[in-house]
Amino acid sequence: MTRVQSRQASRIPLPLSLPLAVVAGLAMSAQGRVNGALGARLGDGLAAAVISFGIGLVLMAALTVLPPAGRRALKRVRPALRERKFPLWYLLAGASGAFLVMSQGVTVAVTGIALFTVAVVSGQSVSGLLVDRIGLGPGGRRYLTGLRILSALLTVAAVVWAVSPKFSTGGPTAAWLLPLALPLLAGFLQSFQQALNGTQTMHYGSPAPATLINFIVGFLLLCLAWLVKLAVAGGAEPLPAQWWYYLGGPLGCFFILVGAVVVASLGVLLTGLGMIAGQLLGALLLDAFFPVPGSVIATATVLGTLLALAAMVLATLPWPRAAFPAALRRGRRTGR
Protein backbone atom coordinates (compact mmCIF):
# COMPACT_ATOMS: atom_id res chain seq x y z
CA MET A 1 0.00 0.00 0.00
CA THR A 2 1.39 3.41 -0.97
CA ARG A 3 1.66 6.34 1.42
CA VAL A 4 -1.28 8.10 -0.26
CA GLN A 5 -3.47 4.97 -0.17
CA SER A 6 -2.69 4.26 3.47
CA ARG A 7 -3.36 7.87 4.36
CA GLN A 8 -6.76 7.80 2.69
CA ALA A 9 -7.65 4.46 4.30
CA SER A 10 -6.86 5.81 7.76
CA ARG A 11 -9.14 8.84 7.48
CA ILE A 12 -12.41 9.06 9.38
CA PRO A 13 -15.29 11.20 8.02
CA LEU A 14 -15.40 14.75 9.40
CA PRO A 15 -18.85 14.36 11.07
CA LEU A 16 -17.37 11.56 13.20
CA SER A 17 -13.76 12.66 13.66
CA LEU A 18 -14.55 16.17 14.92
CA PRO A 19 -16.86 15.00 17.75
CA LEU A 20 -14.21 12.41 18.67
CA ALA A 21 -11.65 15.21 19.04
CA VAL A 22 -14.07 17.06 21.33
CA VAL A 23 -14.57 13.95 23.46
CA ALA A 24 -10.78 13.55 23.69
CA GLY A 25 -10.64 17.12 24.96
CA LEU A 26 -13.16 16.22 27.66
CA ALA A 27 -10.78 13.47 28.77
CA MET A 28 -7.86 15.92 28.83
CA SER A 29 -9.81 18.29 31.06
CA ALA A 30 -10.65 15.48 33.48
CA GLN A 31 -7.04 14.30 33.49
CA GLY A 32 -5.85 17.79 34.37
CA ARG A 33 -8.20 17.91 37.35
CA VAL A 34 -7.20 14.41 38.54
CA ASN A 35 -3.43 14.80 38.15
CA GLY A 36 -3.47 18.27 39.70
CA ALA A 37 -5.39 16.94 42.70
CA LEU A 38 -3.04 13.97 43.06
CA GLY A 39 0.02 16.23 42.88
CA ALA A 40 -1.42 18.50 45.59
CA ARG A 41 -2.34 15.51 47.77
CA LEU A 42 1.14 13.97 47.48
CA GLY A 43 2.92 17.31 47.70
CA ASP A 44 4.92 16.10 44.68
CA GLY A 45 3.82 16.85 41.13
CA LEU A 46 6.50 14.63 39.62
CA ALA A 47 5.39 11.65 41.71
CA ALA A 48 1.82 12.24 40.51
CA ALA A 49 3.03 12.26 36.89
CA VAL A 50 5.00 9.02 37.38
CA ILE A 51 1.94 7.32 38.90
CA SER A 52 -0.35 8.55 36.11
CA PHE A 53 2.01 7.45 33.35
CA GLY A 54 2.79 4.15 35.07
CA ILE A 55 -0.88 3.19 35.26
CA GLY A 56 -1.40 4.30 31.67
CA LEU A 57 1.58 2.21 30.55
CA VAL A 58 0.26 -0.96 32.20
CA LEU A 59 -3.20 -0.42 30.71
CA MET A 60 -1.88 0.36 27.24
CA ALA A 61 0.45 -2.64 27.28
CA ALA A 62 -2.50 -4.91 28.06
CA LEU A 63 -4.64 -3.33 25.33
CA THR A 64 -1.84 -3.76 22.79
CA VAL A 65 -0.37 -7.16 23.66
CA LEU A 66 -3.46 -9.19 24.60
CA PRO A 67 -5.67 -8.75 21.47
CA PRO A 68 -4.36 -10.47 18.31
CA ALA A 69 -4.91 -7.28 16.29
CA GLY A 70 -2.73 -5.35 18.73
CA ARG A 71 0.09 -7.89 18.45
CA ARG A 72 -0.09 -7.78 14.66
CA ALA A 73 0.14 -3.99 14.70
CA LEU A 74 3.06 -4.14 17.13
CA LYS A 75 4.94 -6.38 14.69
CA ARG A 76 4.77 -3.62 12.08
CA VAL A 77 6.92 -1.27 14.19
CA ARG A 78 10.28 -2.85 13.38
CA PRO A 79 9.70 -3.05 9.59
CA ALA A 80 8.52 0.56 9.57
CA LEU A 81 11.72 1.63 11.33
CA ARG A 82 13.91 -0.58 9.14
CA GLU A 83 12.36 0.83 5.97
CA ARG A 84 12.63 4.37 7.36
CA LYS A 85 8.96 5.16 6.87
CA PHE A 86 9.52 8.07 9.26
CA PRO A 87 12.51 9.48 11.19
CA LEU A 88 13.55 7.54 14.28
CA TRP A 89 13.06 10.57 16.54
CA TYR A 90 9.29 10.33 15.94
CA LEU A 91 9.36 7.64 18.64
CA LEU A 92 10.12 10.37 21.20
CA ALA A 93 6.62 11.87 20.85
CA GLY A 94 5.83 10.53 24.32
CA ALA A 95 8.20 13.09 25.82
CA SER A 96 5.57 15.74 25.05
CA GLY A 97 2.86 13.82 26.90
CA ALA A 98 5.16 13.31 29.87
CA PHE A 99 5.87 17.03 29.98
CA LEU A 100 2.15 17.86 29.89
CA VAL A 101 1.34 15.46 32.74
CA MET A 102 4.26 16.77 34.77
CA SER A 103 3.01 20.33 34.19
CA GLN A 104 -0.44 19.34 35.46
CA GLY A 105 0.94 17.89 38.66
CA VAL A 106 3.40 20.71 39.30
CA THR A 107 1.54 23.89 38.32
CA VAL A 108 -2.24 23.36 38.63
CA ALA A 109 -2.08 23.69 42.42
CA VAL A 110 -0.22 27.02 41.98
CA THR A 111 -1.95 28.61 38.99
CA GLY A 112 -5.36 26.95 39.14
CA ILE A 113 -6.94 25.00 36.29
CA ALA A 114 -8.17 28.21 34.63
CA LEU A 115 -4.77 29.82 34.02
CA PHE A 116 -3.26 26.42 33.25
CA THR A 117 -5.87 25.93 30.49
CA VAL A 118 -5.20 29.38 29.00
CA ALA A 119 -1.48 28.65 28.77
CA VAL A 120 -1.91 25.19 27.23
CA VAL A 121 -4.47 26.39 24.68
CA SER A 122 -2.35 29.38 23.65
CA GLY A 123 0.66 27.20 22.97
CA GLN A 124 -1.38 24.53 21.19
CA SER A 125 -3.17 26.99 18.90
CA VAL A 126 0.08 28.55 17.70
CA SER A 127 1.88 25.25 17.18
CA GLY A 128 -1.14 23.74 15.39
CA LEU A 129 -0.79 26.35 12.66
CA LEU A 130 2.97 25.78 12.50
CA VAL A 131 2.84 21.98 12.35
CA ASP A 132 0.15 21.97 9.66
CA ARG A 133 2.18 24.44 7.59
CA ILE A 134 5.34 22.34 7.92
CA GLY A 135 3.43 19.17 7.05
CA LEU A 136 4.60 16.92 9.88
CA GLY A 137 1.22 15.22 10.28
CA PRO A 138 -0.17 12.32 8.21
CA GLY A 139 -2.55 14.70 6.43
CA GLY A 140 0.39 16.44 4.77
CA ARG A 141 1.02 20.16 4.43
CA ARG A 142 -1.96 22.45 4.93
CA TYR A 143 -1.54 26.06 3.92
CA LEU A 144 -2.54 28.85 6.26
CA THR A 145 -5.83 30.39 5.15
CA GLY A 146 -7.50 33.36 6.76
CA LEU A 147 -10.22 31.21 8.32
CA ARG A 148 -7.70 28.84 9.93
CA ILE A 149 -5.71 31.72 11.43
CA LEU A 150 -8.91 33.46 12.56
CA SER A 151 -10.15 30.23 14.16
CA ALA A 152 -6.94 29.84 16.17
CA LEU A 153 -7.10 33.45 17.38
CA LEU A 154 -10.79 33.13 18.27
CA THR A 155 -10.07 29.96 20.21
CA VAL A 156 -7.45 31.65 22.37
CA ALA A 157 -9.82 34.58 22.93
CA ALA A 158 -12.64 32.18 23.80
CA VAL A 159 -10.56 30.39 26.42
CA VAL A 160 -9.42 33.65 28.02
CA TRP A 161 -13.04 34.82 28.11
CA ALA A 162 -14.31 31.51 29.49
CA VAL A 163 -11.86 31.46 32.40
CA SER A 164 -11.81 35.22 33.05
CA PRO A 165 -14.12 34.94 36.11
CA LYS A 166 -11.47 32.74 37.76
CA PHE A 167 -8.53 35.09 37.24
CA SER A 168 -9.21 36.78 40.57
CA THR A 169 -8.58 33.47 42.36
CA GLY A 170 -5.07 33.13 40.93
CA GLY A 171 -3.44 35.24 43.66
CA PRO A 172 -0.69 37.79 43.04
CA THR A 173 0.52 37.93 39.46
CA ALA A 174 4.09 37.04 40.40
CA ALA A 175 2.88 33.84 42.07
CA TRP A 176 1.51 32.31 38.86
CA LEU A 177 3.13 34.15 35.94
CA LEU A 178 6.42 32.19 35.95
CA PRO A 179 4.80 28.74 36.43
CA LEU A 180 2.67 29.40 33.33
CA ALA A 181 5.79 28.87 31.21
CA LEU A 182 5.50 25.10 31.80
CA PRO A 183 1.93 24.62 30.48
CA LEU A 184 2.58 27.12 27.67
CA LEU A 185 5.47 24.97 26.42
CA ALA A 186 3.49 21.78 27.08
CA GLY A 187 0.64 23.08 24.92
CA PHE A 188 3.05 24.08 22.16
CA LEU A 189 4.48 20.54 22.11
CA GLN A 190 1.03 18.89 21.99
CA SER A 191 0.55 19.58 18.28
CA PHE A 192 3.90 17.97 17.51
CA GLN A 193 2.93 14.90 19.54
CA GLN A 194 -0.35 14.54 17.65
CA ALA A 195 1.43 14.88 14.29
CA LEU A 196 4.15 12.34 15.10
CA ASN A 197 1.67 9.85 16.57
CA GLY A 198 -0.63 10.25 13.58
CA THR A 199 2.19 9.50 11.15
CA GLN A 200 3.20 6.40 13.10
CA THR A 201 -0.42 5.24 13.26
CA MET A 202 -0.72 5.53 9.48
CA HIS A 203 2.21 3.14 8.99
CA TYR A 204 1.34 0.71 11.80
CA GLY A 205 -2.31 0.46 10.78
CA SER A 206 -3.37 1.00 14.41
CA PRO A 207 -2.92 3.73 17.04
CA ALA A 208 -2.06 1.16 19.75
CA PRO A 209 1.71 0.76 19.06
CA ALA A 210 2.34 4.52 18.87
CA THR A 211 0.39 5.09 22.09
CA LEU A 212 2.27 2.31 23.88
CA ILE A 213 5.62 3.73 22.74
CA ASN A 214 4.46 7.14 24.01
CA PHE A 215 3.85 5.73 27.46
CA ILE A 216 7.14 3.82 27.55
CA VAL A 217 9.19 6.88 26.59
CA GLY A 218 7.24 9.22 28.87
CA PHE A 219 7.37 6.86 31.85
CA LEU A 220 11.14 6.40 31.59
CA LEU A 221 11.75 10.14 31.35
CA LEU A 222 9.47 10.89 34.29
CA CYS A 223 11.12 8.20 36.42
CA LEU A 224 14.55 9.69 35.76
CA ALA A 225 13.31 13.17 36.65
CA TRP A 226 11.61 11.91 39.82
CA LEU A 227 14.74 10.04 40.97
CA VAL A 228 16.72 13.28 40.67
CA LYS A 229 14.02 15.12 42.60
CA LEU A 230 13.96 12.36 45.23
CA ALA A 231 17.70 12.67 45.82
CA VAL A 232 17.49 16.45 46.12
CA ALA A 233 14.19 17.14 47.91
CA GLY A 234 12.98 13.83 49.36
CA GLY A 235 9.88 11.74 48.80
CA ALA A 236 6.15 12.40 48.60
CA GLU A 237 3.28 11.96 51.02
CA PRO A 238 1.53 8.54 51.32
CA LEU A 239 -0.70 7.48 48.45
CA PRO A 240 -4.39 8.39 48.82
CA ALA A 241 -6.97 5.62 49.12
CA GLN A 242 -9.62 7.17 46.84
CA TRP A 243 -9.77 5.39 43.48
CA TRP A 244 -10.42 8.44 41.34
CA TYR A 245 -6.94 9.84 42.01
CA TYR A 246 -5.61 7.12 39.68
CA LEU A 247 -7.78 7.83 36.62
CA GLY A 248 -5.18 10.08 34.97
CA GLY A 249 -3.45 7.18 33.22
CA PRO A 250 -6.57 5.67 31.59
CA LEU A 251 -7.74 9.14 30.53
CA GLY A 252 -4.33 9.75 28.96
CA CYS A 253 -4.58 6.47 27.03
CA PHE A 254 -7.91 7.55 25.66
CA PHE A 255 -7.03 11.00 24.37
CA ILE A 256 -3.67 9.93 22.90
CA LEU A 257 -5.37 7.06 21.04
CA VAL A 258 -8.14 9.28 19.72
CA GLY A 259 -5.75 12.07 18.75
CA ALA A 260 -3.55 9.65 16.79
CA VAL A 261 -6.60 8.40 14.87
CA VAL A 262 -8.39 11.66 13.99
CA VAL A 263 -5.37 13.80 13.09
CA ALA A 264 -5.13 12.17 9.65
CA SER A 265 -8.66 13.37 8.90
CA LEU A 266 -8.67 16.76 10.58
CA GLY A 267 -5.09 17.94 10.41
CA VAL A 268 -3.18 19.07 13.47
CA LEU A 269 -4.81 22.48 13.88
CA LEU A 270 -8.42 21.31 13.69
CA THR A 271 -7.68 18.33 15.94
CA GLY A 272 -6.26 20.76 18.48
CA LEU A 273 -9.24 23.12 18.18
CA GLY A 274 -11.65 20.22 18.73
CA MET A 275 -9.74 19.10 21.81
CA ILE A 276 -9.65 22.66 23.13
CA ALA A 277 -13.43 22.93 22.78
CA GLY A 278 -13.71 19.63 24.65
CA GLN A 279 -11.44 20.90 27.41
CA LEU A 280 -13.64 23.94 27.93
CA LEU A 281 -16.79 21.81 27.96
CA GLY A 282 -15.11 19.42 30.37
CA ALA A 283 -14.05 22.21 32.71
CA LEU A 284 -17.61 23.57 32.64
CA LEU A 285 -19.09 20.15 33.46
CA LEU A 286 -16.55 19.50 36.20
CA ASP A 287 -17.26 22.85 37.83
CA ALA A 288 -21.01 22.19 37.59
CA PHE A 289 -21.11 18.62 38.89
CA PHE A 290 -17.79 18.16 40.75
CA PRO A 291 -16.92 21.64 42.01
CA VAL A 292 -13.81 22.42 43.99
CA PRO A 293 -13.14 25.48 46.17
CA GLY A 294 -13.01 28.53 43.93
CA SER A 295 -15.09 26.99 41.13
CA VAL A 296 -17.03 29.63 39.19
CA ILE A 297 -19.68 29.20 36.49
CA ALA A 298 -20.40 32.64 35.10
CA THR A 299 -21.97 33.96 31.93
CA ALA A 300 -18.50 34.55 30.48
CA THR A 301 -17.62 30.90 31.07
CA VAL A 302 -20.62 29.64 29.11
CA LEU A 303 -20.30 32.20 26.30
CA GLY A 304 -16.56 31.62 25.98
CA THR A 305 -17.16 27.89 25.61
CA LEU A 306 -19.74 28.53 22.88
CA LEU A 307 -17.28 30.83 21.09
CA ALA A 308 -14.64 28.07 21.14
CA LEU A 309 -17.14 25.68 19.56
CA ALA A 310 -17.95 28.29 16.90
CA ALA A 311 -14.24 28.78 16.17
CA MET A 312 -13.82 25.03 15.74
CA VAL A 313 -16.66 24.92 13.20
CA LEU A 314 -15.26 27.99 11.43
CA ALA A 315 -11.97 26.16 10.81
CA THR A 316 -13.82 23.48 8.81
CA LEU A 317 -15.29 25.97 6.32
CA PRO A 318 -13.70 26.52 2.87
CA TRP A 319 -11.73 29.70 2.29
CA PRO A 320 -13.80 32.22 0.26
CA ARG A 321 -13.09 31.99 -3.47
CA ALA A 322 -12.87 35.74 -3.97
CA ALA A 323 -10.34 36.33 -1.24
CA PHE A 324 -6.62 36.06 -1.96
CA PRO A 325 -6.64 33.86 -5.08
CA ALA A 326 -3.04 32.73 -4.51
CA ALA A 327 -3.97 31.32 -1.10
CA LEU A 328 -6.99 29.63 -2.68
CA ARG A 329 -4.87 27.94 -5.33
CA ARG A 330 -2.52 26.61 -2.69
CA GLY A 331 -5.47 25.34 -0.68
CA ARG A 332 -6.75 23.39 -3.72
CA ARG A 333 -3.44 21.61 -4.07
CA THR A 334 -3.72 20.37 -0.50
CA GLY A 335 -7.35 19.29 -0.81
CA ARG A 336 -8.60 21.98 1.56
Side-chain angles (χ1 to χ4, degrees), residues 182-222:
L182 284 177
L184 183 65
L185 179 57
F188 186 83
L189 294 175
Q190 279 298 290
S191 296
F192 289 90
Q193 182 186 27
Q194 291 161 8
L196 304 188
N197 285 341
T199 299
Q200 292 181 67
T201 295
M202 180 182 68
H203 291 293
Y204 302 151
S206 167
T211 307
L212 177 60
I213 294 170
N214 270 232
F215 274 98
I216 293 173
V217 171
F219 182 69
L220 291 176
L221 290 175
L222 287 170

Side-chain angles (χ1 to χ4, degrees), residues 54-280:
I55 295 173
L57 174 58
V58 172
L59 177 60
M60 201 61 231
L63 292 174
T64 304
V65 175
L66 295 181
R71 292 196 297 272
R72 287 194 298 269
L74 201 56
K75 290 178 181 178
R76 300 187 190 109
V77 174
R78 183 174 294 180
L81 296 177
R82 186 171 58 247
E83 297 169 16
R84 302 194 178 188
K85 298 291 187 180
F86 50 83
L88 187 63
W89 61 267
Y90 275 39
L91 299 179
L92 299 178
S96 173
F99 191 75
L100 175 65
V101 173
M102 182 197 71
S103 299
Q104 291 170 344
V106 171
T107 65
V108 166
V110 177
T111 65
I113 193 66
L115 295 177
F116 179 90
T117 302
V118 170
V120 170
V121 165
S122 299
Q124 191 173 358
S125 297
V126 172
S127 64
L129 290 169
L130 175 63
V131 172
D132 267 353
R133 182 63 182 85
I134 295 172
L136 281 179
R141 180 175 296 179
R142 302 187 181 219
Y143 286 89
L144 304 184
T145 65
L147 285 179
R148 292 169 68 80
I149 296 172
L150 178 61
S151 298
L153 295 175
L154 280 178
T155 300
V156 175
V159 175
V160 174
W161 189 15
V163 302
S164 59
K166 303 182 183 181
F167 282 169
S168 60
T169 65
T173 302
W176 51 259
L177 188 57
L178 185 59
L180 284 182
L182 284 177
L184 183 65
L185 179 57
F188 186 83
L189 294 175
Q190 279 298 290
S191 296
F192 289 90
Q193 182 186 27
Q194 291 161 8
L196 304 188
N197 285 341
T199 299
Q200 292 181 67
T201 295
M202 180 182 68
H203 291 293
Y204 302 151
S206 167
T211 307
L212 177 60
I213 294 170
N214 270 232
F215 274 98
I216 293 173
V217 171
F219 182 69
L220 291 176
L221 290 175
L222 287 170
C223 283
L224 288 174
W226 182 71
L227 288 174
V228 172
K229 185 264 177 188
L230 183 64
V232 173
E237 298 295 325
L239 294 174
Q242 293 89 341
W243 60 272
W244 61 268
Y245 279 108
Y246 306 102
L247 290 178
L251 290 168
C253 288
F254 178 76
F255 73 71
I256 293 176
L257 278 169
V258 172
V261 171
V262 303
V263 71
S265 306
L266 301 178
V268 177
L269 175 63
L270 189 51
T271 298
L273 296 183
M275 289 186 172
I276 289 166
Q279 289 180 67
L280 288 177

Side-chain angles (χ1 to χ4, degrees), residues 33-46 48 104-110 236-238 240 245:
R33 172 71 70 86
V34 170
N35 287 341
L38 181 59
R41 179 69 179 267
L42 296 176
D44 189 337
L46 266 176
Q104 291 170 344
V106 171
T107 65
V108 166
V110 177
E237 298 295 325
Y245 279 108

